[in-house]
Amino acid sequence: MKSLGLYFHIPFCPYRCHYCDFLSFANHEHMIPEYVSCLIRDLKFFLPDFRDYEIKTIFFGGGTPSLLRAEQIERILSAVYSYCHTAAEIEVTLESNPGTITLEKLSGYQAAGVNRLSFGVQALQNRHLKRMGRIHTAEEAQEGFKLARKAGFQNLNIDLIFGLPDQSLEEWEESLNQVVQWEPEHLSTYGLQIEEGTPFFTDYRQGIFSLPGEEIEALMYEKTIKRLRTRGYEQYEISNFSKPGYECRHNLIYWNNEEYLGIGLGAFSYLSKKRFWMTRNMAKYLKGEEKISGWEVLPLEKEVGETMMLGLRLKKGISNVRFFGRFGKRLQEFYSHLISKYEPSGLLKWEDDALHLTESGFMIANHVIQEFLLD
Ligand code: SF4
């Protein structure tokens, strides 16, 4: 039986954060009950496509999945368990915003089968949280984390963002130092991207704030790697760190360019070399019109390029044996020119049969990785 990751998109948020361009709506909570029914409707619709698959991971992303009541998560998970083959050791992740949780809700998620929680903490200085439009304070984030432990969660992730407007290196280190004391099993640390169409984009263009700049951001990233290493976290992906055995198995499916089914507004899927996506129009989504709003069959070059682009994000890189098993050719047959360009300069390295970026390669990963796209 083949493996599959299952993703549910929950496009509701209590408030739109000022840096965010994800597909989600504030003040639409009244739609949640109908939306949950539509997710189950679509799970049944796609069933024939993945009868031969075993679901290894489930991920509730968004948006703010923790706006859903525990009974609503339970309804969705019961449907998955009734209609699909699921792995015994399934990983079930739910993204949560510390401003939307209570002990009762978290205990309900736990009872429903969620076994991994991801907390959007982002920073631990209230002035940054306020400027970002987050609805919680640093103290509430810490309290939320404690509640999750109290509810019984043993696999917790914290998301942090560096390179915030007017953020100093010391503030970033302070955020890092504080969260490691909470001892989460996993940390994701992302550099801020200023996305077009967001309030941050407008403010930045108008010079309302300045950003730390490339040099400071590179230092923040370097400090992150060193600090987390000394606390026993392994960097297994450019932006992701975990205690041994706590890598996010769902995201590994994406980075290994393996198959997944995405259900919900605007969700993407990748099945049988075909990528397809659902409508981004809420009215159409709820009516069940135009379930698949677009699709493409990936030509070989694109599939190879994307496998490289994603796999090189991983510390262990890309195994030549696996690559050969998938594409019938060795890495060198596609990329000898890039390997000889970057290996001597110490940005790429072979280890056993895998090609991976080195620590210096990670520092300029975006630049190197894009050259691996073939089309
Ligand atoms: S809570 Fe998350 S998804 Fe919602 S607006 Fe903020 S960053 Fe975006």
Side-chain angles (χ1 to χ4, degrees), residues 67-80:
L67 275 180
L68 267 61
R69 295 198 314 272
E71 308 82 75
Q72 291 167 326
I73 294 294
E74 209 244 322
R75 248 190 95 198
I76 299 168
L77 288 177
S78 300
V80 175

Side-chain angles (χ1 to χ4, degrees), residues 228-252:
L228 294 183
R229 189 183 291 144
T230 61
R231 296 290 300 212
Y233 291 91
E234 194 177 316
Q235 181 182 23
Y236 70 100
E237 195 264 352
I238 291 179
S239 307
N240 285 277
F241 304 80
S242 77
K243 291 281 168 83
Y246 286 95
E247 298 86 3
C248 176
R249 282 159 45 202
H250 186 81
N251 285 340
L252 280 169

Side-chain angles (χ1 to χ4, degrees), residues 313-330:
R313 293 186 62 89
L314 293 169
K315 189 96 186 202
K316 68 177 172 60
I318 295 168
S319 143
N320 219 353
V321 171
R322 285 187 67 180
F323 187 89
F324 187 85
R326 182 163 178 172
F327 299 111
K329 286 185 180 179
R330 292 179 313 132

Side-chain angles (χ1 to χ4, degrees), residues 8 10 57-61 65-66 68-78 80-81 89-96 101 104-119 148 151-157:
F8 289 105
I10 311 294
T57 62
I58 301 174
F59 197 100
F60 291 95
S66 57
L68 267 61
R69 295 198 314 272
E71 308 82 75
Q72 291 167 326
I73 294 294
E74 209 244 322
R75 248 190 95 198
I76 299 168
L77 288 177
S78 300
V80 175
Y81 294 126
E89 296 287 310
I90 193 164
E91 175 192 89
V92 185
T93 304
L94 184 134
E95 288 184 335
S96 64
I101 50 168
E104 192 190 354
K105 200 188 235 186
L106 293 175
S107 305
Y109 291 155
Q110 167 92 4
V114 176
N115 52 27
R116 183 173 184 273
L117 268 191
S118 176
F119 274 102
F153 284 97
Q154 292 172 358
N155 190 354
L156 296 175
N157 170 57

Side-chain angles (χ1 to χ4, degrees), residues 4-167:
L4 188 75
L6 184 56
Y7 174 82
F8 289 105
H9 189 65
I10 311 294
F12 306 101
C13 286
Y15 184 76
R16 293 284 301 159
C17 302
H18 300 160
Y19 56 92
C20 178
D21 73 339
F22 293 163
L23 179 58
S24 77
F25 307 94
N27 302 316
H28 280 55
E29 284 90 328
H30 60 280
M31 289 183 168
I32 291 178
E34 187 183 357
Y35 186 83
V36 167
S37 301
C38 293
L39 292 178
I40 295 168
R41 172 199 71 196
D42 292 341
L43 180 73
K44 291 185 200 164
F45 173 81
F46 284 113
L47 263 184
D49 293 324
F50 64 100
R51 277 202 193 287
D52 303 334
Y53 288 84
E54 182 177 65
I55 296 175
K56 300 274 191 207
T57 62
I58 301 174
F59 197 100
F60 291 95
T64 305
S66 57
L67 275 180
L68 267 61
R69 295 198 314 272
E71 308 82 75
Q72 291 167 326
I73 294 294
E74 209 244 322
R75 248 190 95 198
I76 299 168
L77 288 177
S78 300
V80 175
Y81 294 126
S82 316
Y83 303 130
C84 315
H85 305 286
T86 50
E89 296 287 310
I90 193 164
E91 175 192 89
V92 185
T93 304
L94 184 134
E95 288 184 335
S96 64
N97 181 316
T100 60
I101 50 168
T102 59
L103 179 59
E104 192 190 354
K105 200 188 235 186
L106 293 175
S107 305
Y109 291 155
Q110 167 92 4
V114 176
N115 52 27
R116 183 173 184 273
L117 268 191
S118 176
F119 274 102
V121 171
Q122 319 308 5
L124 284 175
Q125 296 76 25
N126 287 335
R127 75 178 189 102
H128 286 309
L129 291 170
K130 199 165 170 203
R131 179 177 245 167
M132 293 162 93
R134 301 292 298 176
I135 58 159
H136 57 86
T137 61
E139 296 72 27
E140 284 163 346
Q142 182 168 13
E143 185 53 29
F145 188 88
K146 283 186 193 158
L147 289 182
R149 286 284 189 232
K150 205 167 182 184
F153 284 97
Q154 292 172 358
N155 190 354
L156 296 175
N157 170 57
I158 301 279
D159 282 345
L160 289 176
I161 301 180
F162 61 89
L164 294 172
D166 305 316
Q167 186 184 36

